[in-house]
Amino acid sequence: MAKVTFRIFRYNPDKEQASRYQDYIVSLEPGVTLLNCLNKIKWEIDPTLSYRMSCGSAICGSCAMKVNGHALLACKTQASELVRDGVIQIDPIGNSPVMRDLVVDLEPFWGAFRKVEPYLMPDSRDNPERERLQTAAQFLKIDAATQCIMCAACWSDCNSLEVDNLFYGPAALAKAQRFIYDSRDAKKRDRLVEISKLHGMWDCTHCGECSTRCPTEVKPLARIEEIREAAMAEGVHGNNGARHALAFRETVSKRGLLDENYVPVRSVGFFNIMGLLELLPVGLRMFIRRKNPPIIPHGIDNRKEVRKIFSRQKEFRRD
Amino acid sequence: MKYALYTGCVAKGAGRELLAATYSACGKLGIELVEMTDAACCGAGVINEDNPILGDIINARTFAQAEKMGLPIMNICTTCQGVHRKCQIKLAADPARMEKVNAELKKDTGLEYKGQVKVRHFYEALLEEYGLERLAKAVTRPLTGMKVAAFYGCYAMRPHEYSDLTDPDDPNELERIITTLGATPVKYGERLKCCGFPILMMNKRNALKLTGNAVAGAKNAGATGMVTPCPLCHLNLDAYQPEIDKSLRMPVWHIPQLVAYALGATPEELMLKTHIIRPKEAFALV
Ligand code: SF4
Ligand code: SF4
Ligand code: FES
C-alpha cells in the first residue's frame, strides 16, 4: 500500500498566533475517499484535527475543502486521484474566515443567500383552490439550480469574491435563477433589478471556477448566464453590465466586429461624466502609443449577412 | 501547414501588434495563413448571454466558412478560442440544437456547419501540429536569461468540460513553449486566475484588483516578463498597469510576439512600441 503524506492546514485561533501545516503519513487502501483518510487520521492518529462531515455521500454539503489548491467534496473524491509527488495538500475552503483547522465561518455564504430572498413569492392576489402546479417543461428550467447542496465549493474558488466580499457569489446567484425562472414566482422583474446592482450578477468575471468546482448539476456560471439573459429580455438595462451587452449587440450587428471605441463609452453610459472621465487615462495612454482602436471602426466583408442574422433573431429567445 | 486565421476584434483594433506578431511568427515557421476577413465577432460570451441561439448562429457561420475553405481555424485569442470550442462542444452534444442553428444559418447565408472544422489556438497549433522539436530548431535567438510568467486566461481552462488543456488545473502548455524558446518559465499562484477584464466596465475597482494581483504575483515569483495567449488579458495586464501600481513595470507579451522574437523578429516587426509597459529592459537580457 502506497504511503501518502497528508499536509493539512492547522490553526486554532484560541491557542496559536499563526496557522501551520502538519504532515500525517497514511497508507492508502484501495478505494478510499479523502474523507475516509481524514477520519482515519482523526480517529487513529490525532483527535484534535477539526473538519466538517456528516453524510459521507455527497448530499449534506459539509465536507468541502481545498485540495491541492482547488475546492472539492472530501467524501466524493478518491484519495488516490489527489496524490501529487506523494503528497495531498489540504486547506480550508477559500473566501471564508477560518474558525479552526478546516472549519470555516459560513455566515457570509448564508448571508448572500438571504440577500436573494430564496423563497417563492407568488402573486398574492390570486388565491388558488389547490397547489400551484408546474409542467415538466417548466420544472426543467429550474431543475439544475434546485440541486444545490450548499457546500460552498463554488464560493471557495470564486475569483470575484477574492477581491470583493460583498459580491453575491455563485451559489446565491444560482439560487436567484431558481426563482427567476420559476413559473409560479411573481417577482421576476424585482429580483432581476435587485441583483443587477453593484456586487450582483454583472460583477461575475466569468472565471468559470464555480461551474468547475460544483459537485452537483447546479453549475452556477451557466445559471448566471441565464439570469443575464433574463435581464436582457426583461429590459432591465439600466446598469453597466446590460449596457455592455447592448453595445455588443449594436456594434456587432452593424459591422460584424466590435467597435472598441464605442463599447466602453456605451457601457458606462453616455451621460455618466464621472464614468467617462475614468476612461480617459487609459484612452490617452493608448493614444500616445498608437494603440488606440481605429477611429473608423473596422468590419467584416459581408456586413449585410450579419445584419440579416441579427435582425431575424432579435425576437428569438429561449422561451 | 495552413490555417484559416480568425483574427477576432482586438487584433484588428487595440491589439494590432498581436496580428503583426502572428504573421511574423507564422511566416518564419512556414505556417501559411489565410485571413478570414468575413468572420464575425465570436461574441466573447456576451452575445451568447444576450441571446444564445444568435451567438451560436454567428459562430456556426464562422465554422462553416472555414469548412468551405477546407482549412482548420487558427485563433489568436483565448477568449475567441474558448467561445468557439464551447459552441462546438455544445452543438455536437445536442443534435436538435445543431439542426436549429443550421436551419437558421442556411436561411440567411446558405451556409451549413458540418461539425467538422478543427479550431486551434496559435499555441496549440505549435504544440500539437508544428511540434516543439521543430520549433526548438527554428529558434535563432534563444531567450536565455528571461524569466517568463505565463498567464493563461480563464477561457483556456474553465469550465473544464470545454477545455482542451491536458490538465486545466495545472497546465504546462505555455511553460513548455517558454522552455523551448530558451527562457525559464516562472510558476506563481495567480497564473490560472481571472485577469479582471470581463468586469472592467462593470466594476473597475474589482477588475484592477485582480489584474494587480496577477502582475504582483508574477513579479514576486521573480518573473522578468509575462506572456499571455489572450489579448483581453493583455489589455488589462499591460494597458492598465500604470493605473494599478507604477512601480510594477512588468512587460507583458502576446505569445506570438515571444515566439517571433526568439525566431529573430525585430521589435519593429512585433510593434513592441505600442506596449504601454515597454519590454525593452526584459529584451535587453537576451
Ligand atoms: S464564474 Fe463568476 S460566480 Fe463563478 S466563480 Fe467565477 S466570478 Fe464567481
Ligand atoms: S452551487 Fe454547487 S458548489 Fe455551489 S454550493 Fe451549490 S452545490 Fe455547492
Ligand atoms: S460529508 Fe456530506 S457531502 Fe461530504
Side-chain angles (χ1 to χ4, degrees):
Chain A
M1 260 176 299
K3 285 214 184 300
V4 170
T5 302
F6 284 75
R7 187 156 296 154
I8 305 182
F9 177 96
R10 302 295 313 267
Y11 183 42
N12 181 348
D14 294 338
K15 292 198 182 143
E16 294 162 330
Q17 292 279 316
S19 64
R20 63 196 158 90
Y21 284 98
Q22 189 165 345
D23 283 359
Y24 301 94
I25 296 167
V26 175
S27 33
L28 283 196
E29 286 165 45
V32 290
T33 64
L34 179 64
L35 185 61
N36 294 145
C37 300
L38 287 173
N39 286 342
K40 188 167 168 171
I41 292 170
K42 184 169 176 79
W43 295 338
E44 293 172 18
I45 308 175
D46 182 355
T48 69
L49 178 66
S50 300
Y51 53 92
R52 285 196 178 102
M53 60 86 75
S54 178
C55 70
S57 352
I59 294 168
C60 73
S62 48
C63 67
M65 50 191 72
K66 263 196 182 184
V67 180
N68 304 328
H70 308 286
L72 50 72
L73 290 185
C75 70
K76 203 190 173 207
T77 319
Q78 289 289 304
S80 57
E81 288 168 12
L82 302 169
V83 187
R84 304 278 178 275
D85 300 322
V87 180
I88 299 179
Q89 172 161 329
I90 307 177
D91 287 87
I93 60 167
N95 295 322
S96 312
V98 177
M99 295 169 80
R100 181 163 168 173
D101 299 343
L102 304 177
V103 179
V104 302
D105 180 3
L106 283 170
E107 188 42 41
F109 176 67
W110 305 126
F113 276 105
R114 284 193 291 269
K115 281 201 291 190
V116 302
E117 302 187 271
Y119 35 81
L120 198 69
M121 292 192 268
D123 192 337
S124 52
R125 285 164 306 182
D126 77 334
N127 200 0
E129 298 286 300
R130 20 177 261 151
E131 67 270 43
R132 296 179 166 86
L133 297 177
Q134 281 203 301
T135 64
Q138 284 168 333
F139 179 68
L140 219 53
K141 290 186 183 159
I142 58 171
D143 185 22
T146 58
Q147 295 179 39
C148 180
I149 57 171
M150 304 200 171
C151 66
C154 56
W155 174 274
S156 161
D157 290 16
C158 173
N159 278 206
S160 269
L161 271 169
E162 268 171 36
V163 291
D164 180 9
N165 55 17
L166 293 175
F167 177 53
Y168 280 61
L173 290 172
K175 188 62 78 186
Q177 187 275 350
R178 185 244 166 280
F179 291 100
I180 286 165
Y181 278 76
D182 191 313
S183 56
R184 301 159 298 182
D185 196 83
K187 295 275 183 223
K188 178 176 180 177
R189 199 183 162 86
D190 297 345
R191 291 180 189 276
L192 285 169
V193 169
E194 200 46 43
I195 58 171
S196 288
K197 292 181 183 161
L198 199 67
H199 312 296
M201 60 161 138
W202 296 105
D203 281 20
C204 155
T205 68
H206 225 282
C207 74
E209 284 286 3
C210 53
S211 286
T212 297
R213 307 305 156 203
C214 179
T216 71
E217 284 314 305
V218 183
K219 309 295 178 215
L221 175 56
R223 309 289 80 79
I224 292 169
E225 289 169 349
E226 285 165 358
I227 51 181
R228 286 179 175 178
E229 188 193 341
M232 294 311 291
E234 276 289 309
V236 182
H237 292 169
N239 58 75
N240 290 17
R243 278 194 297 264
H244 181 252
L246 287 175
F248 260 76
R249 199 197 276 174
E250 288 158 13
T251 69
V252 177
S253 67
K254 243 186 241 156
R255 296 182 202 84
L257 291 181
L258 207 64
D259 178 349
E260 292 163 290
N261 288 319
Y262 178 79
V263 172
V265 176
R266 172 75 163 116
S267 306
V268 301
F270 295 121
F271 304 107
N272 172 3
I273 306 293
M274 288 309 284
L276 292 174
L277 278 178
E278 272 202 11
L279 295 172
L280 259 185
V282 74
L284 267 176
R285 278 197 298 276
M286 289 171 70
F287 186 76
I288 291 168
R289 294 283 154 96
R290 302 207 188 147
K291 193 180 167 55
N292 57 302
I295 308 292
I296 299 166
H298 44 244
I300 60 166
D301 297 343
N302 191 347
R303 300 167 197 202
K304 263 202 197 128
E305 203 170 272
V306 169
R307 262 175 230 167
K308 211 155 85 188
I309 296 176
F310 266 83
S311 70
R312 262 201 339 104
Q313 297 303 327
K314 205 161 49 192
E315 298 314 321
F316 187 90
R317 302 228 164 249
R318 200 177 304 222
D319 38 357
Chain B
M1 281 166 74
K2 192 170 174 183
Y3 287 90
L5 177 66
Y6 179 87
T7 61
C9 307
V10 185
K12 285 284 197 182
R16 296 186 292 280
E17 72 281 2
L18 167 61
L19 192 59
T22 304
Y23 276 116
S24 168
C26 289
K28 289 185 179 8
L29 293 171
I31 301 174
E32 223 182 302
L33 300 175
V34 185
E35 199 170 310
M36 301 181 75
T37 52
D38 193 24
C41 167
C42 74
V46 178
I47 291 184
N48 258 78
E49 285 176 352
D50 182 11
N51 184 338
I53 194 91
L54 174 60
D56 283 1
I57 296 169
I58 294 289
N59 288 316
R61 178 176 176 270
T62 302
F63 303 151
Q65 286 173 346
E67 283 176 345
K68 222 171 153 188
M69 294 161 82
L71 293 174
I73 291 177
M74 179 190 280
N75 272 313
I76 47 178
C77 167
T78 299
T79 302
C80 300
Q81 171 69 18
V83 171
H84 281 163
R85 289 295 291 139
K86 181 174 172 182
C87 178
Q88 284 196 310
I89 292 168
K90 279 194 139 173
L91 290 179
D94 186 348
R97 192 178 179 88
M98 178 80 145
E99 208 175 293
K100 162 111 201 147
V101 165
N102 262 328
E104 297 297 303
L105 181 65
K106 214 164 187 172
K107 265 185 225 161
D108 293 329
T109 69
L111 288 168
E112 188 194 347
Y113 167 45
K114 301 203 174 61
Q116 275 154 6
V117 70
K118 234 179 154 184
V119 182
R120 281 285 164 266
H121 194 291
F122 169 83
Y123 72 88
E124 294 174 312
L126 285 189
L127 283 160
E128 290 166 22
E129 277 144 53
Y130 194 83
L132 290 188
E133 271 174 39
R134 253 170 97 195
L135 179 63
K137 284 197 197 112
V139 169
T140 55
R141 187 199 278 143
L143 307 178
T144 323
M146 281 177 66
K147 297 200 186 85
V148 183
F151 190 85
Y152 278 79
C154 298
Y155 273 93
M157 302 168 287
R158 294 178 297 262
H160 282 188
E161 64 247 53
Y162 307 125
S163 175
D164 288 316
L165 298 173
T166 347
D167 179 359
D169 272 344
D170 186 16
N172 63 12
E173 276 80 352
L174 292 173
E175 283 79 3
R176 276 159 57 208
I177 293 181
I178 294 169
T179 309
T180 307
L181 301 178
T184 312
V186 175
K187 284 201 177 182
Y188 58 113
E190 291 77 10
R191 76 189 178 107
L192 311 182
K193 297 241 152 129
C194 172
C195 69
F197 186 84
I199 53 168
L200 190 57
M201 295 301 140
M202 297 70 163
N203 192 327
K204 190 174 169 189
R205 182 184 142 271
N206 289 359
L208 293 193
K209 263 198 201 171
L210 284 164
T211 318
N213 288 349
V215 180
K219 184 150 188 155
N220 294 337
T224 53
M226 293 174 83
V227 71
T228 178
C230 181
L232 302 177
C233 296
H234 190 273
L235 275 174
N236 256 35
L237 296 170
D238 178 55
Y240 276 92
Q241 215 187 101
E243 251 168 273
I244 299 163
D245 180 353
K246 282 208 167 59
S247 70
L248 285 169
R249 292 213 48 75
M250 174 68 73
V252 187
W253 295 283
H254 300 281
I255 184 76
Q257 282 180 320
L258 203 66
V259 172
Y261 196 74
L263 300 175
T266 62
E268 289 71 37
E269 262 177 278
L270 308 179
M271 293 173 67
L272 288 174
K273 280 199 167 153
T274 62
H275 287 222
I276 302 298
I277 307 297
R278 296 233 167 124
K280 196 174 67 202
E281 302 93 323
F283 278 131
L285 289 173
V286 179

